[in-house]
Amino acid sequence: MLRTHTCGELSLRDVDKKVTLCGWLQRSRDLGGMTFVDLRDRYGITQLVFNMETLPHLCEAARKLGREYVLQVEGVVAERSSKNAKLSTGDIEILVSSFVVLNEAALPPFTIEENTDGGDDLRMKYRYLDIRRAPVREALLLRARVAAAARNYLTREGFVEVETPVLIKSTPEGARDFVVPSRMNQGEFYALPQSPQTFKQLLMVAGMDKYYQIVKCFRDEDLRADRQPEFTQIDCEMSFVTQEDILNTFEGMIRQLFQDVKGVDIGTLPRMTYADAMEHYGNDKPDIRFGMQLKDLGPLVKGKDFKVFDDAELVVAISVKGAAEYTRKQLDELTEWVKRPQLGMTGLVYARYGSDGSMKSSVDKFYGPEELAKWMSHCDAAPGDLVLILAGNEGKTRKAMSELRLEMGDRLGLRDKNTFNCLWVVDFPLLEWSEETARWHAMHHPFTSPKPEDFNLLENDPGKVRANAYDMVINGVEVGGGSIRIHDKTVQQQMFSLLGFSADEAQAQFGFLMNAFEFGAPPHGGIAFGFDRLCSLFGGADSIRDYIAFPKNNSGRDVMIDSPSPISAEQKKELGLH
Ligand code: ASP
């Protein structure tokens, strides 16, 4: 080894030891008689001291070293006179007796320190320098710890990691596929997996019983903020299980991850039906770190000649704690906020419950004090609270109120990143209607089984059929989702036909799965966790980018290797592409 210790491990216990360290020069300070250098590696930073009086030549040479030079340094550990409590090595320094420049470095394009002056693009272009910075490095180390903890848990529970292929077949369900042209089969294409879904089901038919894989998945979707075209899942499947078994197994996993990685006990996960989540929180991934639940005001407000409420499919309210004193300006600003095209509301109605007990609303013309009192009690509002009301088309209004609730939660500081509230959302609908394609789509995917008790609705009222499908939600983020699968060929065929596949299409696309179901498919089910998202949640970060070593930017580009990029005419010809 070129070193005896790392830059993160020496302490007062090591005083007087002769050591050799290797690392990068983070910064140096020349104080005349002494030159101080911070030497950095993956493990930390150690202060080096070059003394002008005792070793003038060495000190002179040290002054010439540039940022990010790679050094090998020999010296003796000494106690520091002015200690730095922020560094693990802050009690000591190295009195350098000799050093070797292992490599020089060009001037880095941004400062490689905790806080950097580099913008996003520059950081991504020089990601290898960005990763030298503590926050990015720590994010990647955290990711490795989460992966190791997941592997430990799953291995202990008897799961086997099986790799599934990356070059597979394009299918029409779900998002768009990335496709890869085949040179040996010209005019034909592989697709990259959006998930190993069908393979893990085939592994159950194959008798593997408990499968997992930490696996890359690819979806060619329009990139919304913080989406990556390639991402990682902890993908799992089990045989001979009920939904209950799956929920318990993976609740166990997430509890273990929190324990190992954060030292936090998250306790037992509550369960909420999809219907309740939609009613009380306005979405299927409720952030239950705070209340402020949605209240349907319709029955209380209709028929009083206020056209906006009378014409609305939904009139919904939340009560915001302690916000009765919001100024007119703040309320106008909130009104503009709900009118943004993303939410598209036409306005915001409010009612103040003053701390003196008075009640006043922006629609006083239509509703008197007695009515306001009913609203307040229906919304669980107390003196000092502000009730915010939206009205309009059902789906849009519920969504807007759900966003407004989260916004108010943010403004009131109720969404603390170090508080973790996890839950299961269960009983999702099997299907959702798409106006765009005028047909039913699988809400989860076409392999999800309907609840046996809703089976009779499949023919005549498919929208009412609930699925054996579940999501795990943490702090308003869907971190995992899965289902009990169909394992019967006839039911699977029926499902494909409901989704608008002809028998021939279904056979062409998914024949391999339905054929497999003829050879003794066990009842099975599974789940997949969004691994990048889970890591960013553990790290308390909003973005998943820093938890991915080499992420793509918002246009799906890798600006470091400059990809995607054109290929040569020759390459194209070879592939049969013109
Ligand atoms: N394959 C599904 C997904 O990627 C998860 C599952 O059903 O296990 O969302």
Side-chain angles (χ1 to χ4, degrees):
M1 293 271 201
L2 298 183
R3 60 187 172 195
T4 57
H5 295 80
T6 70
C7 295
E9 65 179 306
L10 295 169
S11 68
L12 285 176
R13 281 194 315 272
D14 303 296
V15 166
D16 292 336
K17 264 189 204 158
K18 196 165 164 60
V19 298
T20 308
L21 302 183
C22 291
W24 287 263
L25 184 156
Q26 175 151 314
R27 60 157 84 181
S28 62
R29 293 174 302 281
D30 178 7
L31 303 184
M34 305 256 218
T35 293
F36 293 98
V37 165
D38 286 346
L39 192 68
R40 170 194 357 96
D41 67 9
R42 191 185 107 191
Y43 308 91
I45 289 177
T46 299
Q47 174 162 291
L48 312 176
V49 190
F50 297 84
N51 193 320
M52 192 66 184
E53 242 166 64
T54 52
L55 293 167
H57 294 302
L58 193 76
C59 196
E60 294 282 5
R63 284 179 188 168
K64 298 204 181 83
L65 299 172
R67 267 159 58 192
E68 301 306 315
Y69 272 43
V70 190
L71 307 177
Q72 182 190 38
V73 176
E74 214 177 75
V76 172
V77 182
E79 182 169 359
R80 272 208 218 182
S81 48
S82 64
K83 302 197 167 43
N84 180 349
K86 280 199 223 122
L87 282 184
S88 64
T89 60
D91 288 346
I92 57 101
E93 58 196 5
I94 311 295
L95 308 177
V96 180
S97 50
S98 69
F99 72 84
V100 179
V101 173
L102 297 175
N103 212 342
E104 295 184 356
L107 191 67
F110 50 84
T111 46
I112 302 183
E113 298 197 15
E114 187 98 11
N115 295 313
T116 179
D117 53 356
D120 254 14
D121 283 351
L122 208 55
R123 285 178 48 206
M124 292 305 145
K125 184 159 173 162
Y126 299 92
R127 185 64 161 172
Y128 44 89
L129 297 181
D130 198 30
I131 296 175
R132 286 186 194 166
R133 296 173 49 237
V136 186
R137 180 181 72 227
E138 290 307 320
L140 294 182
L141 295 179
L142 179 123
R143 181 182 175 106
R145 283 201 302 280
V146 182
R151 285 203 163 92
N152 274 342
Y153 177 85
L154 292 167
T155 305
R156 218 168 44 233
E157 291 291 315
F159 286 78
V160 280
E161 183 158 23
V162 182
E163 289 170 82
T164 52
V166 171
L167 295 176
I168 64 165
K169 180 184 170 77
S170 189
T171 57
E173 265 308 295
R176 248 178 243 114
D177 286 323
F178 281 101
V179 293
V180 179
S182 163
R183 179 184 56 83
M184 287 196 287
N185 306 274
Q186 298 225 337
E188 296 187 304
F189 297 82
Y190 300 101
L192 305 183
Q194 296 185 26
S195 89
Q197 185 60 35
T198 48
F199 286 96
K200 66 175 173 174
Q201 293 193 239
L202 292 170
L203 285 170
M204 295 302 106
V205 181
M208 287 310 283
D209 200 59
K210 290 176 173 179
Y211 141 96
Y212 86 98
Q213 185 179 192
I214 299 187
V215 61
K216 273 286 173 73
C217 301
F218 307 84
R219 295 185 190 169
D220 188 7
E221 291 173 297
D222 293 337
L223 295 167
R224 279 192 252 134
D226 215 32
R227 273 255 179 100
Q228 289 283 318
E230 57 175 299
F231 59 96
T232 304
Q233 288 190 338
I234 309 178
D235 190 46
C236 310
E237 197 77 6
M238 304 169 83
S239 289
F240 304 116
V241 286
T242 60
Q243 171 165 317
E244 194 58 31
D245 299 318
I246 299 214
L247 298 190
N248 288 333
T249 303
F250 292 98
E251 183 165 331
M253 183 181 90
I254 208 76
R255 197 176 300 124
Q256 189 69 51
L257 296 189
F258 269 102
Q259 196 67 59
D260 291 357
V261 179
K262 302 289 294 178
V264 169
D265 179 9
I266 54 164
T268 307
L269 268 60
R271 298 181 189 178
M272 193 185 292
T273 62
Y274 170 87
D276 281 348
M278 292 307 286
E279 182 181 340
H280 302 310
Y281 297 91
N283 71 47
D284 58 5
K285 40 180 191 318
D287 185 346
I288 55 166
R289 277 173 296 184
F290 65 106
M292 218 189 277
Q293 291 188 6
L294 277 57
K295 303 286 176 184
D296 183 358
L297 274 194
L300 293 184
V301 298
K302 296 230 180 212
K304 307 282 168 179
D305 292 336
F306 182 45
K307 208 167 154 17
V308 176
F309 285 175
D310 283 349
D311 292 349
E313 275 174 24
L314 177 72
V315 182
V316 65
I318 52 171
S319 166
V320 186
K321 280 262 149 299
E325 304 302 324
Y326 258 43
T327 61
R328 188 58 211 243
K329 195 164 153 233
Q330 282 173 300
L331 287 162
D332 286 348
E333 188 241 324
L334 273 184
T335 308
E336 288 313 310
W337 194 87
V338 298
K339 282 178 161 176
R340 289 171 311 144
Q342 296 95 311
L343 300 186
M345 291 285 98
T346 47
L348 176 69
V349 172
Y350 59 86
R352 303 175 196 270
Y353 195 164
S355 23
D356 57 359
S358 64
M359 292 178 196
K360 209 164 162 24
S361 83
S362 56
V363 285
D364 274 349
K365 255 205 290 188
F366 303 95
Y367 302 94
E370 260 168 46
E371 274 150 336
L372 291 193
K374 281 192 202 145
W375 298 7
M376 295 302 174
S377 114
H378 187 66
C379 296
D380 299 326
D385 296 352
L386 174 72
V387 169
L388 298 174
I389 306 166
L390 292 176
N393 150 293
E394 160 94 38
K396 200 163 147 184
T397 308
R398 204 175 280 292
K399 178 169 182 294
M401 190 46 107
S402 146
E403 295 291 324
L404 181 61
R405 171 181 175 271
L406 294 175
E407 175 68 17
M408 296 316 289
D410 274 334
R411 291 188 189 198
L412 265 53
L414 301 173
R415 305 180 73 197
D416 174 20
K417 288 203 171 75
N418 294 311
T419 306
F420 297 98
N421 277 2
C422 319
L423 78 153
W424 288 109
V425 177
V426 296
D427 296 355
F428 276 81
L430 183 69
L431 302 162
E432 59 188 343
W433 181 257
S434 157
E435 291 295 340
E436 206 176 303
T437 56
R439 69 168 178 90
W440 293 104
H441 284 245
M443 190 142 181
H444 188 51
H445 52 52
F447 316 109
T448 295
S449 65
K451 280 196 180 293
E453 60 268 36
D454 291 357
F455 214 83
N456 56 333
L457 298 170
L458 259 182
E459 285 286 315
N460 299 323
D461 202 355
K464 282 253 160 59
V465 178
R466 289 166 307 160
N468 279 319
Y470 32 79
D471 276 358
M472 185 184 282
V473 175
I474 306 182
N475 292 359
V477 176
E478 179 206 322
V479 297
S483 60
I484 297 293
R485 325 297 184 191
I486 298 167
H487 65 280
D488 178 278
K489 184 182 170 183
T490 324
V491 180
Q492 189 63 71
Q493 268 166 340
Q494 196 182 352
M495 185 68 183
F496 284 132
S497 114
L498 248 175
L499 297 174
F501 288 77
S502 70
D504 286 349
E505 281 166 346
Q507 189 57 38
Q509 292 295 337
F510 296 109
F512 64 94
L513 187 69
M514 288 189 291
N515 293 346
F517 283 179
E518 292 200 32
F519 293 96
H524 60 286
I527 191 166
F529 290 89
F531 183 57
D532 312 290
R533 175 66 59 216
L534 202 57
C535 292
S536 70
L537 224 118
F538 279 127
D542 292 325
S543 166
I544 61 172
R545 282 247 211 120
D546 279 346
Y547 295 81
I548 298 172
F550 299 105
K552 310 251 181 312
N553 73 7
N554 282 344
S555 328
R557 297 199 70 83
D558 182 326
V559 294
M560 184 180 69
I561 59 172
D562 192 19
S563 169
S565 56
I567 56 173
S568 69
E570 201 181 322
Q571 233 177 335
K572 272 193 203 158
K573 198 162 149 233
E574 216 171 46
L575 292 166
L577 299 173
H578 302 288

